Amino acid sequence: MDNKVAQLINEQVTKELDSAYIYLAMSAYFENKGLSGMAGWMKVQYGEEVGHGMKMFEYLNVRGIKVNLGAISKPVSDFGSVREVFEKSLAHEKSITASLNKIYEAALQVNDHATVAFLQWFVSEQLEEEKNVTDILVKLDQINDSSMGLIFLDKELGGRK
Ligand code: OFO
């Protein structure tokens, strides 16, 4: 495998695990605010991110590349509002999409078709991740600070499996 592509995927393993940690901190925030549905939603997201990291980890193994795990940074654990949490989540997902696009382009440049095919799943997944959070932000707009609306949204998000 091309060195640059291998290095970018290696870095992406850490970024996915970093994402997991970010969402776990968001889950803790919601739990502390009594929003157990949102806390559960974030816990599911945490699990998905670990899954993403492990997919990359296994792919490097299959390609015979040694995985070098990087440091995970301390996540933000306090937020000004529910909306701020989801805004931060959307901004984070956009940065992850950009990071994946960079790997995709690097793999295309060296005609690494296996990696391009491998990354297709992540490209679709990012579309879904950004849409999920955007939909929640739209609902938060509709609720417009109504505490009843927030209780209903919390219940709805708690249904995420
Ligand atoms: Fe792994 O997609 Fe979010 O960060």
Side-chain angles (χ1 to χ4, degrees):
M1 191 191 269
D2 173 75
N3 280 344
K4 185 179 169 198
V5 175
Q7 191 195 329
L8 288 173
I9 299 178
N10 240 314
E11 287 168 5
Q12 193 66 30
V13 174
T14 305
K15 286 185 187 178
E16 298 293 342
L17 296 174
D18 196 55
S19 300
Y21 215 40
I22 287 169
Y23 287 118
L24 193 59
M26 289 175 172
S27 176
Y29 169 81
F30 283 136
E31 201 66 68
N32 185 250
K33 295 279 171 206
L35 294 163
S36 58
M38 292 184 186
W41 192 96
M42 286 296 174
K43 235 180 270 171
V44 173
Q45 189 60 34
Y46 157 82
E48 286 206 359
E49 299 299 353
V50 172
H52 298 168
M54 289 313 293
K55 251 187 209 284
M56 298 263 176
F57 182 98
E58 298 304 351
Y59 182 67
L60 289 174
N61 285 343
V62 167
R63 295 292 301 265
I65 307 290
K66 180 174 180 303
V67 176
N68 288 313
L69 294 174
I72 292 177
S73 37
K74 181 173 167 45
V76 173
S77 57
D78 269 310
F79 305 87
S81 63
V82 168
R83 169 163 259 285
E84 190 189 315
V85 180
F86 287 102
E87 275 170 356
K88 287 225 156 68
S89 163
L90 183 59
H92 179 72
E93 286 311 320
K94 285 186 174 168
S95 80
I96 292 293
T97 300
S99 172
L100 283 161
N101 285 344
K102 226 168 107 186
I103 311 175
Y104 196 93
E105 279 155 28
L108 270 179
Q109 258 173 22
V110 295
N111 292 321
D112 182 348
H113 299 293
T115 299
V116 168
F118 168 73
L119 291 172
Q120 295 284 356
W121 182 89
F122 284 90
V123 171
S124 313
E125 178 73 3
Q126 280 312 116
L127 261 184
E128 196 189 306
E129 301 233 314
E130 286 189 26
K131 184 181 183 321
N132 286 345
V133 184
T134 303
D135 286 352
I136 294 171
L137 283 168
V138 168
K139 285 179 182 162
L140 283 169
D141 279 345
Q142 289 164 346
I143 285 170
N144 194 20
D145 284 342
S146 132
S147 46
M148 209 51 193
L150 199 61
I151 289 168
F152 278 118
L153 182 60
D154 185 59
K155 192 167 163 42
E156 183 189 328
L157 295 184
R160 185 181 186 192
K161 298 277 173 263

